Amino acid sequence: GYRVKDGVRLSATWPSYQQPREDRQSLGDAIQADLKKIGFELVRKPLDGGAYIDGLYSGNYDIADWSFVRSDADVLRLHLFSTFAPVQNASYVNDPKVDKLVTEAAETTDAAKRTDLYGQAQKWVIDDAAIVPLYVPSYLLGTSKKVGGVRTDINGWPLFYDAYRTEGS
């Protein structure tokens, strides 16, 4: 069974986009099974892309998931800065201290200061648990010698704009 208090089941809703880039379904199933062991119901709601985005904008969820691959610590600002709610800051973090940390970090060119500020923001994330990082997604991209012009952006995403096939391919 599930835990109940005053007739209300301990439950949370976790909408999910039906076409994830990674195998989030398996991860969600594992989390759901582990929570059930302690009497916590986690209701997964598969949605199409439009309904998922509408849900994020409305704040109609208890848990949200997505992944970001960034080569820069400024990704923390996307998820923690108060005015970026509801979509980027899906946890609705609203802490002036955190806003100040990530703003100062984004504005400085001093590498040591930047590292320290983002480190403080990471510590806040761990202590507050508004965000729970679970994994870093990885992607594979293969090409052949017959393909040219494939590049990646600063975050590692492939860019095919200038891609071409060589003669004879």
Side-chain angles (χ1 to χ4, degrees), residues 130-152:
I131 300 170
V132 181
L134 297 177
Y135 65 95
V136 176
S138 61
Y139 301 94
L140 299 175
L141 173 65
T143 65
S144 79
K145 292 179 182 180
K146 296 177 181 179
V147 175
V150 177
R151 298 174 292 122
T152 60

Side-chain angles (χ1 to χ4, degrees), residues 74 77 81-84 96-108 114 117-118 121:
D74 192 51
R77 187 171 52 89
F81 195 72
S82 61
T83 61
F84 292 165
K97 179 183 174 189
V98 174
D99 282 353
K100 185 175 185 220
L101 283 172
V102 297
T103 299
E104 286 181 15
E107 291 174 348
T108 187
R114 195 169 192 271
L117 291 167
Y118 281 127

Side-chain angles (χ1 to χ4, degrees), residues 30-118:
I31 292 169
Q32 185 179 41
D34 282 349
L35 288 174
K36 185 174 184 177
K37 292 176 189 175
I38 61 169
F40 188 109
E41 179 184 46
L42 184 60
V43 179
R44 301 275 290 151
K45 281 178 62 176
L47 302 171
D48 65 43
Y52 181 74
I53 295 299
D54 286 347
L56 285 179
Y57 274 110
S58 71
N60 188 20
Y61 55 87
D62 298 309
I63 298 170
D65 71 89
W66 60 88
S67 60
F68 282 88
V69 177
R70 296 290 189 270
S71 60
D72 189 89
D74 192 51
V75 69
L76 290 170
R77 187 171 52 89
L78 293 176
H79 299 296
L80 300 176
F81 195 72
S82 61
T83 61
F84 292 165
V87 176
Q88 290 291 334
N89 177 358
S91 299
Y92 289 86
V93 172
N94 188 1
D95 186 322
K97 179 183 174 189
V98 174
D99 282 353
K100 185 175 185 220
L101 283 172
V102 297
T103 299
E104 286 181 15
E107 291 174 348
T108 187
T109 58
D110 180 327
K113 182 177 180 183
R114 195 169 192 271
T115 298
D116 177 61
L117 291 167
Y118 281 127

